[in-house]
Amino acid sequence: MTHLVVILTMAIFCLVGPTHAQDAASAFDFFGRHCLMDGPNFIRTGTIAQARGWFPLSADFLMTLAPMENPEAIEGWLVGERQQRTVVAVTRATIGGKAVEACTVAMSGIDSVGFARSFFQRIDAEMVQEERGPRHVHKLYSLIFRGRRELVTLIVPAEPAERSYVVGSVIAETQQEN
């Protein structure tokens, strides 16, 4: 499944023009700003996408980026504000009777090692699981961020080139709006 995610993500990136390398720290900042810092939020992300004119993507493609099976709702966009190709997707699901939301950012043309370094320099996360395949590494972390328990997955190349890709997802219990 994860291999399919990477292949399909790279396929869409090939459709939209040339890649320009982006600073790993600013790539992490983008991931942090849209998924990690305030947790995943389906409505907030959709509002941001609409306001910024992000290009909507098909649900069929986005299902490959969903970090959980059988999401109840999914939306996603190709982001036009960044030089490298970036896809942002949000999902809603029920897991174990609890409503959860997820936010996924897939980026190409970045330094995946630098992205991971930025993650560890700024976030105190505990490794839960690592699966190493011939083409990619799937890492799962648990953390408490701003009083909220989050699961973070990072998918990076097994043998990173100078510029490669990262798929990062955050899954958290849905926050009730007051």
Side-chain angles (χ1 to χ4, degrees):
M1 173 65 174
T2 305
H3 180 66
L4 182 62
V5 168
V6 173
I7 289 172
L8 290 174
T9 301
M10 294 305 107
I12 194 140
F13 291 152
C14 291
L15 296 174
V16 294
T19 299
H20 302 283
Q22 184 70 6
D23 174 11
S26 68
F28 177 79
D29 289 342
F30 183 87
F31 172 67
R33 191 170 54 251
H34 291 287
C35 294
L36 187 62
M37 301 307 172
D38 294 319
N41 185 303
F42 196 89
I43 293 171
R44 179 187 69 229
T45 306
T47 301
I48 291 169
Q50 185 174 16
R52 294 187 179 163
W54 294 352
F55 181 79
L57 297 171
S58 75
D60 289 339
F61 168 75
L62 295 170
M63 290 300 285
T64 65
L65 292 176
M68 67 270 257
E69 292 184 21
N70 304 316
E72 296 158 4
I74 188 165
E75 291 185 18
W77 307 268
L78 184 63
V79 177
E81 71 181 38
R82 298 178 51 76
Q83 288 183 328
Q84 92 255 11
R85 297 177 193 114
T86 301
V87 173
V88 176
V90 288
T91 54
R92 285 183 172 160
T94 302
I95 298 176
K98 293 184 179 185
V100 297
E101 293 185 353
C103 178
T104 300
V105 172
M107 300 177 185
S108 69
I110 66 165
D111 173 7
S112 60
V113 174
F115 183 96
R117 187 175 322 123
S118 291
F119 176 75
F120 290 114
Q121 287 173 345
R122 300 179 196 184
I123 306 299
D124 184 23
E126 178 182 330
M127 172 76 79
V128 175
Q129 181 180 11
E130 180 176 312
E131 293 179 22
R132 184 170 289 278
R135 295 195 176 157
H136 65 272
V137 180
H138 181 267
K139 301 175 181 185
L140 177 65
Y141 301 94
S142 176
L143 59 106
I144 305 292
F145 195 77
R146 295 185 178 170
R148 182 180 192 176
R149 184 171 184 266
E150 299 178 344
L151 292 176
V152 176
T153 62
L154 295 179
I155 301 171
V156 297
E159 298 294 329
E162 182 178 323
R163 298 291 174 196
S164 51
Y165 64 88
V166 171
V167 179
S169 296
V170 178
I171 304 169
E173 194 169 341
T174 302
Q175 295 289 303
Q176 301 297 321
E177 299 291 325
N178 291 328

